[in-house]
Amino acid sequence: PILASGQECNPTAPLPSDGQNFYIGGRWVEPADQAVPPIVVTDPSTGARATSVNAGGAADVDAAVAAARRSFPGWSGVTPAVRRDHIRRLRDVYAGRQEEMARAISTEMGAPIDFALESQVGAGLYHIDNFLATLESFEFERAGEMGATTILMEPVGVAALITPWNWPMNQVVLKVVAALAVGCTCVLKPSEAAPLSSLLFAAMVHDAGFPPGAFNLVTGGGGDGGAGELLAAHPDVDMVSFTGSTRAGAAVSRAGADTFKKISLELGGKGAAVVFADVGDDLEEYVTQVVERCFENTGQSCDAPTRLLVERGVYHRAVEIAKGVALAHAVGSAHVPGDHLGPVVNFAQFDTIQKYILSGVEEGGRIVTGGPGRPKGTDAAGYYVRPTVFADVNNDMKIMREEIFGPVLGMMPFDSEQEALEIANDTPYGLTNYVYSGSPERCRRMARALRSGMVEMNGEGVDGAAPFGGMKASGHGREGGVYGLEEFCHVKAVSGWED
């Protein structure tokens, strides 16, 4: 079923006016260089211009970094309890403006309004609560293993936080709150595709009463001399925490190399879901979970299981299950209430997905459902994609090797546990893999052997304190819980502390 475009309602959240300023040193400031072209924010549901925001240049980045540097001695010097109190106030401000945040996210990146409120905005609140709980027992001063040395966990310094468009508040909170919690000061540079939610978040930080310069925000581009590249190379930035594409992550690493910054990268993924025949009667439940997880957020998640490997004895049945699940997905405007898939973020992403679907056909994949083009009944100017399932693919195909970032699933059979493991690990990525089996021993064997930062077994997700991150081309560094706090710390060994 497809939602009719006539059901669409306009977003009602107040969007930033044209030329929205930067947040630097505790106040909203105009760009230093008025010649830098503004960023046009497009509503993915209609393809129409929603608003525009300013793009920062070198002078703006310098000002933001300088403000963070000035604030660092004071903010890092207060007690952890004081920092927790500020974060609690931020939590209360955030909780009171959830609907406004949901409408901003829905407008900028196309998450359907109900999903934006429950999942996108909800993720931010979830992570704030988890960090507050973790801070209660986080040890900034620790006894060394041999007893004679004390270990101090100290803030890295000024952190540049570069966040993506696909889960705006999830990533902003994981970086900003963790950095501030341990005493870092920071400069946030959100994706140019989704700046509205971060501008609103900056207003929340201001209302929570953080000291001037502890948090700063500059909107702008990433590469080609944009604010992101300038931050990554800036000599007064001590650390860059980046979430985005593998290509951009490599560029961030190169930009920060000359100044020996600490670099934390959360990059792309090409997760495999491995379903064994011994799941028995749970086959339908598990295949449904995989398809739903793949299509969640219109397929725009780095940890999505986009490769579905099924033991040959139940493969054909699994394909039919996946087909039915995909066909049940409605597609429509992000501004319409309901449980449906929205558009992808912009035309560039829409075009990329279309090319991948055509590539899958050209390389011999069998389209079970979906395919190229827009779903019937959707706005011809919006960036809507047909939920697509390919069967009978192989792991050499482009759609199985590269991150598509859209609602596209590839399915293939396997004959043995060893073969499934080899296929799953045959990828440059290593973020999340998924295992489904009736045998706990097999699940554990697979989990140990899979080359990824995370493994989910039989549909059970990792908890909020678990470290989120990967290996290989999926990056390094961890977010969430104790590991997410430690990511923004230097480790210092001190002798004679107790004397």
Side-chain angles (χ1 to χ4, degrees), residues 241-374:
S241 178
F242 171 84
T243 298
S245 71
T246 298
R247 175 193 56 78
V252 166
S253 297
R254 289 191 294 269
D258 288 343
T259 49
F260 305 101
K261 289 176 173 54
K262 183 174 185 178
I263 305 288
S264 179
L265 303 173
E266 198 275 284
L267 308 176
K270 195 66 183 175
V274 182
V275 180
F276 290 93
D278 63 8
V279 298
D281 294 339
D282 292 327
L283 180 67
E284 182 170 1
E285 176 187 350
Y286 289 160
V287 171
T288 298
Q289 284 182 10
V290 173
V291 178
E292 295 280 1
R293 186 70 175 268
C294 177
F295 290 172
E296 183 185 41
N297 204 36
T298 318
Q300 299 168 122
S301 298
C302 54
D303 60 347
T306 55
R307 297 182 295 154
L308 177 50
L309 318 180
V310 183
E311 195 164 4
R312 193 175 299 275
V314 294
Y315 172 71
H316 293 296
R317 183 179 166 211
V319 170
E320 290 305 306
I321 293 169
K323 177 181 179 180
V325 176
L327 285 171
H329 278 76
V331 181
S333 169
H335 309 308
V336 176
D339 182 16
H340 60 280
L341 301 183
V344 296
V345 66
N346 54 32
F347 177 78
Q349 188 63 23
F350 170 84
D351 188 55
T352 295
I353 296 167
Q354 298 303 311
K355 289 175 180 176
Y356 274 116
I357 293 173
L358 292 173
S359 169
V361 174
E362 292 167 359
E363 291 187 327
R366 174 169 65 90
I367 291 183
V368 176
T369 185
R374 289 175 171 83

Side-chain angles (χ1 to χ4, degrees), residues 5 8 42-49 343-348 350 374-375 377-384:
S5 59
E8 186 172 319
T42 301
D43 183 344
S45 293
T46 63
R49 178 185 180 280
V344 296
V345 66
N346 54 32
F347 177 78
F350 170 84
R374 289 175 171 83
T378 56
D379 191 324
Y383 311 127
Y384 300 97

Side-chain angles (χ1 to χ4, degrees), residues 405-430:
F405 234 54
V408 181
L409 175 69
M411 300 183 65
M412 62 181 292
F414 66 86
D415 293 303
S416 68
E417 182 178 322
Q418 183 59 34
E419 182 188 14
L421 180 62
E422 291 173 357
I423 294 170
N425 281 339
D426 182 18
T427 173
Y429 296 101

Side-chain angles (χ1 to χ4, degrees), residues 446-471:
M446 290 290 291
R448 290 190 182 98
L450 286 165
R451 296 287 294 163
S452 57
M454 297 170 286
V455 178
E456 295 188 10
M457 300 195 296
N458 290 338
E460 184 174 344
V462 297
D463 61 50
F468 187 100
M471 59 179 70

